[in-house]
Amino acid sequence: MQTVQIRKYVKYFERVNNELQIHLKKWDSESIRNGFRILGLFLAKETSPIFAQRVCRSYQILQLHSRLWTTHATTVTKSTKLNSRQWFLGLVFVSLCEQRVKDKHKDTQVKEKGAIKKSELVAHLKDLEFIHELTAATVICPECKDRLVVDKKIPNVKYCHCPNQVSVYNRKISEYPWLPFVETPDLLIWRKPHETKAGLYVYKVYGYYDDISPADFLETQLDLNYRKKWDNSVLKLEIVESDPKNQLDIVHWEMQWPKMFSNRDYCFARRHLIDEQDGIMVIMNKSVEHRKVPEAYGVVRVNEYWSVMHIKGVKGLDQPGVEFGLTYYDNPGLSLPGWLLNWAAMTAIPDFLNKVRNAARARRKQEGKKR
């Protein structure tokens, strides 16, 4: 295996060496300058901040396989007439070159793995239709057509008064796997057990805000610099890689957890779709791996995370009135008692969405002043 690798190194370095020799044999100033320019471009392109590490690694390889190298190098160097320094330098240069090719290939694989296809976004353009169906089946009384109580009664909601009706909190109704979980003045939340992760749930949210526009709601979530101002749980938030043509970003996000826990961070792909004709927007996130975002000591990487939000304008994308559905799952890598998990979900989801709402409202107000 090492012999094949060394032969490959030799072959690569000979290409650079041969081109240099063509210019140096002419021995005029222009040819010499061309030769050094080739070498300079090669070094500038292929070297990296971990140059020293590559040199040490190459030297260790030479030491470890000295016998094999001596036998092979003796044969090859006679034909190429290169001394040991040239050979060693050649190995270092080619090692750098080959590593960059591997890194580039790895980035391509990551991008392909992390890419969110447009077809995935299109598949969620009718999510709100399903949520309306789910609402009718799980939290509407089939007899009187009034609302059933979930976890508590909300002011200004007409609830069912049929005999023997009880709360539908966490109760399976009909064939749907989604269980009614939380109700607030503006939100309805369901959850269902994860298919393979015991104790974890996937959440589905329906919401309606009459004081912000769909465009403001979307931009408030996409604008990471603005989010750093309104979300006090953010420690780090940046776009690692971007593909504006496809409206696709790779995002790194570290969030602060309570002091008794380690902070969590996410590396995820984010893509959105805007259907102006029907007044619909879709945002999708899902966790990915990326070479530029290695796991950090003391921070727990959340490797299982995805979310899809469907946003619909009631009066158009720029007018107040937004109806939305959110389906969300993440695995924080922590086993919590059921009561604590329930409390966290019941408070965290409405709290975050309320922050987005307030930030979108403030954004519109600020832009109104600028106009």
Side-chain angles (χ1 to χ4, degrees):
M1 183 69 179
Q2 290 297 324
T3 304
V4 174
Q5 189 177 20
I6 291 171
R7 285 175 180 169
K8 186 164 60 174
Y9 287 161
V10 172
K11 185 177 180 181
Y12 285 159
F13 184 67
E14 281 180 341
R15 293 178 183 175
V16 178
N17 180 66
N18 290 338
E19 192 157 356
L20 284 174
Q21 292 300 324
I22 292 173
H23 291 282
L24 293 176
K25 281 180 180 179
K26 297 180 181 179
W27 205 250
D28 57 77
S29 59
E30 183 63 26
S31 294
I32 292 175
R33 281 197 297 270
N34 287 336
F36 280 111
R37 186 170 65 252
I38 291 170
L39 182 59
L41 290 172
F42 179 80
L43 290 173
K45 182 180 179 181
E46 304 303 335
T47 54
S48 68
I50 51 174
F51 176 86
Q53 181 183 357
R54 303 279 179 244
V55 173
C56 292
R57 186 177 299 173
S58 298
Y59 181 68
Q60 289 170 353
I61 292 174
L62 288 177
Q63 283 187 318
L64 183 63
H65 302 282
S66 58
R67 291 183 182 179
L68 177 62
W69 169 246
T70 301
T71 303
H72 186 78
T74 301
T75 303
V76 181
T77 51
K78 287 181 180 179
S79 59
T80 59
K81 298 181 180 180
L82 295 173
N83 60 38
S84 59
R85 287 187 180 181
Q86 289 174 310
W87 276 111
F88 178 72
L89 189 59
L91 284 174
V92 173
F93 291 165
V94 175
S95 176
L96 289 168
C97 178
E98 193 169 60
Q99 183 63 33
R100 285 177 64 89
V101 171
K102 289 179 180 178
D103 288 344
K104 183 177 180 181
H105 179 61
K106 183 177 180 181
D107 274 347
T108 302
Q109 286 183 319
V110 169
K111 189 172 182 179
E112 290 176 353
K113 180 181 177 182
I116 297 173
K117 297 178 181 178
K118 185 177 180 180
S119 58
E120 295 180 74
L121 296 171
V122 172
H124 290 279
L125 286 173
K126 296 186 178 181
D127 277 9
L128 276 174
E129 293 182 15
F130 172 77
I131 290 180
H132 291 156
E133 178 184 316
L134 180 65
T135 300
T138 59
V139 297
I140 300 295
C141 175
E143 301 297 330
C144 67
K145 306 303 179 183
D146 289 334
R147 281 288 314 282
L148 299 172
V149 177
V150 182
D151 59 318
K152 59 184 177 297
K153 287 188 176 182
I154 302 298
N156 303 318
V157 175
K158 186 179 180 181
Y159 287 102
C160 168
H161 289 89
C162 295
N164 303 320
Q165 279 291 0
V166 296
S167 167
V168 292
Y169 168 78
N170 212 36
R171 195 175 78 182
K172 190 177 188 311
I173 300 176
S174 68
E175 71 278 9
Y176 294 92
W178 297 98
L179 313 177
F181 183 55
V182 177
E183 182 178 10
T184 74
D186 303 295
L187 303 173
L188 268 172
I189 304 176
W190 296 261
R191 69 177 183 177
K192 68 175 181 179
H194 192 275
E195 294 178 354
T196 60
K197 304 289 184 179
L200 295 178
Y201 294 86
V202 182
Y203 296 91
K204 188 176 290 292
V205 183
Y206 169 78
Y208 175 77
Y209 297 144
D210 61 2
D211 54 353
I212 61 173
S213 71
D216 289 332
F217 195 45
L218 175 70
E219 288 302 321
T220 298
Q221 297 179 68
L222 296 181
D223 188 342
L224 300 188
N225 288 327
Y226 183 46
R227 181 169 177 177
K228 293 175 186 178
K229 298 177 181 178
W230 59 261
D231 188 352
N232 56 13
S233 70
V234 170
L235 294 179
K236 294 180 182 178
L237 188 60
E238 61 180 351
I239 294 178
V240 178
E241 184 178 337
S242 185
D243 181 3
K245 181 180 178 181
N246 293 304
Q247 297 176 316
L248 172 67
D249 297 317
I250 305 297
V251 179
H252 179 221
W253 166 38
E254 181 181 341
M255 67 178 300
Q256 187 173 18
W257 269 46
K259 291 183 178 180
M260 66 185 75
F261 300 101
S262 298
N263 292 333
R264 262 57 180 173
D265 79 336
Y266 299 73
C267 180
F268 62 92
R270 179 186 71 181
R271 188 172 182 179
H272 69 279
L273 173 69
I274 301 176
D275 183 347
E276 295 185 1
Q277 182 176 351
D278 293 331
I280 294 174
M281 303 170 171
V282 178
I283 316 172
M284 179 178 286
N285 301 328
K286 66 178 179 180
S287 56
V288 296
E289 295 178 357
H290 197 282
R291 180 178 60 88
K292 294 180 181 179
V293 190
E295 295 186 19
Y297 176 77
V299 179
V300 176
R301 173 64 51 85
V302 178
N303 290 313
E304 298 177 51
Y305 160 69
W306 59 264
S307 70
V308 182
M309 178 176 279
H310 175 119
I311 303 170
K312 184 175 182 179
V314 177
K315 300 177 183 179
L317 297 180
D318 293 317
Q319 298 300 317
V322 56
E323 186 182 21
F324 67 92
L326 169 67
T327 308
Y328 170 88
Y329 167 77
D330 79 351
N331 178 5
L334 183 68
S335 296
L336 293 174
W339 65 268
L340 183 56
L341 183 65
N342 288 345
W343 173 82
M346 293 175 77
T347 56
I349 296 175
D351 180 62
F352 173 75
L353 290 172
N354 192 51
K355 283 183 179 180
V356 178
R357 179 187 191 177
N358 291 335
R361 195 161 45 200
R363 181 190 184 97
R364 170 55 65 98
K365 186 177 180 180
Q366 188 66 29
E367 289 182 352
K369 289 181 178 180
K370 292 179 181 179
R371 294 171 188 170

